[in-house]
Amino acid sequence: MKKESMLSFPRIFLKKIAHMFHDRVQKALYGKPLNGYEIEMGTRIPPYSSPVDDFVNCAFKYEETQGHFHPAYHEYRFKRLKKLLTIFPPEYFPGKKVLELGSGIGYIGAFLADLGADVLALEGRVSNINFAKLRYRNLPTFNPVLFDLDNDFTHFGRFDLIVNFGYLETVSSIEDTLNCCTQMTDNILVETLVCDSEDPDKVIHEHMGNVGIDHPLNVQYSLRPSPLYIEKYFKKHDWVVSRHFSADLNTSIHKYDWEHRNLDELTFGKKGPLLHRFWYFFKNTDNGSMDKQ
């Protein structure tokens, strides 16, 4: 144990140095600091490979402070996908039909398509859809479609799974959105911003513009329901609630494993991370089990 402890000290020291001198370490390793896209990919991207690849790279380079391109999204996407795979393992996806709502620039839906799923990704912003089409143009089972999800979307048909990550906070009506979802599948993953309240009827309207590429499309506010508001809806419709409020989802700006203090706050402390919750909801069948076949 002593030898192992002695060996771990240099690793800890180097990790701290890398954190303190982030750009300098990247420059030493790669010749210059990585941009947002390269950080996400974990490697230096050649300056030119094709016109489309160059465009994708430039988006992360020049818009890395904007919405989905911000470096904070990298860890956020990774941790939600890691949790998703504990519920639905990789072998679940080949041949399955998956609907992603509010797909942004397409990373999560494309990941599931790469696992073998047939993914329809609905997104309301043209710039996001165009980027997803370009970046994942070689994934034939990934289909990004421009659609305003404040409208009824049940005509897209039935799906084995609906992924609703970071989308409910941008809709005009939570109930209308969930009404569509529950008609289209027996399995729904929901991850959303919430407020610190145990009132099952509480929904806070947080003022927010609709200019940003990850902001609400049609309204000037973001909906922050209480967690029990979401659960109340599904229980009323006889769905099973499976909570995943665990620390492994946390990032520096997102917190899932918090305890209620009923202060109607949207952050963990005055300047702390945003309050989130993550659920898996599935339709209550005769044998009381979820259908993952």
Side-chain angles (χ1 to χ4, degrees):
M1 289 292 294
K2 185 175 181 181
K3 183 177 181 181
E4 183 179 344
S5 178
M6 290 176 64
L7 288 173
S8 65
F9 176 77
R11 296 192 187 101
I12 295 171
F13 177 76
L14 289 173
K15 187 176 181 180
K16 288 183 177 180
I17 292 296
H19 179 72
M20 291 170 60
F21 302 100
H22 193 256
D23 287 352
R24 294 183 184 180
V25 171
Q26 289 181 6
K27 187 173 182 179
L29 291 173
Y30 301 107
K32 62 179 181 178
L34 303 180
N35 62 35
Y37 181 39
E38 292 169 330
I39 291 172
E40 184 174 27
M41 296 298 100
T43 187
R44 166 70 60 204
I45 303 298
Y48 181 86
S49 50
S50 79
V52 173
D53 291 332
D54 187 50
F55 177 86
V56 169
N57 190 20
C58 285
F60 279 91
K61 180 179 180 180
Y62 298 121
E63 299 184 3
E64 64 179 357
T65 62
Q66 304 298 316
H68 303 292
F69 297 102
H70 193 281
Y73 264 92
H74 306 160
E75 184 182 13
Y76 183 38
R77 284 191 286 261
F78 168 76
K79 292 202 168 181
R80 288 181 294 171
L81 282 172
K82 186 177 179 181
K83 176 62 69 177
L84 179 155
L85 292 175
T86 67
I87 304 169
F88 292 91
E91 58 268 23
Y92 167 82
F93 289 97
K96 291 295 192 294
K97 289 184 63 178
V98 176
L99 172 64
E100 185 189 8
L101 301 178
S103 56
I105 59 175
Y107 187 95
I108 289 174
F111 176 87
L112 301 179
D114 206 20
L115 290 177
D118 184 3
V119 178
L120 173 64
L122 299 181
E123 164 62 35
R125 294 192 181 276
V126 174
S127 61
N128 289 341
I129 282 293
N130 287 341
F131 183 86
K133 287 179 177 179
L134 294 174
R135 189 181 187 189
Y136 303 112
R137 63 195 183 279
N138 296 320
L139 269 177
T141 60
F142 177 64
N143 182 24
V145 171
L146 181 67
F147 187 80
D148 183 349
L149 285 162
D150 277 339
N151 298 313
D152 187 299
F153 51 91
T154 55
H155 61 280
F156 286 102
R158 292 280 302 174
F159 293 84
D160 297 296
L161 172 65
I162 291 179
V163 177
N164 191 327
F165 283 178
Y167 176 65
L168 282 184
E169 62 254 32
T170 70
V171 302
S172 299
S173 169
I174 293 175
E175 188 162 351
D176 287 349
T177 301
L178 295 181
N179 282 341
C180 289
C181 291
T182 52
Q183 295 178 58
M184 300 170 69
T185 189
D186 295 339
N187 298 286
I188 303 174
L189 291 171
V190 173
E191 182 274 336
T192 190
L193 289 164
V194 293
C195 66
D196 174 17
S197 173
E198 292 178 290
D199 180 350
D201 298 314
K202 171 78 71 174
V203 179
I204 292 177
H205 292 61
E206 174 73 357
H207 177 73
M208 180 181 291
N210 57 7
V211 177
I213 62 173
D214 59 348
H215 286 183
L217 186 64
N218 299 313
V219 293
Q220 297 286 328
Y221 53 81
S222 171
L223 295 178
R224 309 293 176 85
S226 72
L228 293 184
Y229 178 95
I230 302 294
E231 294 181 4
K232 176 184 175 182
Y233 173 89
F234 282 96
K235 289 178 179 178
K236 181 175 71 174
H237 291 82
D238 198 28
W239 283 57
V240 179
V241 176
S242 177
R243 293 177 171 180
H244 296 268
F245 303 167
S246 51
D248 58 333
L249 282 160
N250 293 343
T251 74
S252 59
I253 60 173
H254 310 93
K255 191 168 181 63
Y256 295 81
D257 64 334
W258 49 278
E259 298 294 332
H260 279 288
R261 296 188 295 172
N262 289 298
L263 300 175
D264 290 351
E265 292 180 339
L266 307 180
T267 60
F268 189 71
K270 289 186 177 180
K271 296 182 179 180
L274 295 165
L275 300 180
H276 288 252
R277 291 301 199 201
F278 188 114
W279 296 270
Y280 168 38
F281 299 106
F282 55 95
K283 189 168 290 188
N284 198 3
T285 60
D286 291 337
N287 60 9
S289 63
M290 49 190 159
D291 178 14
K292 289 189 181 182
Q293 303 301 314

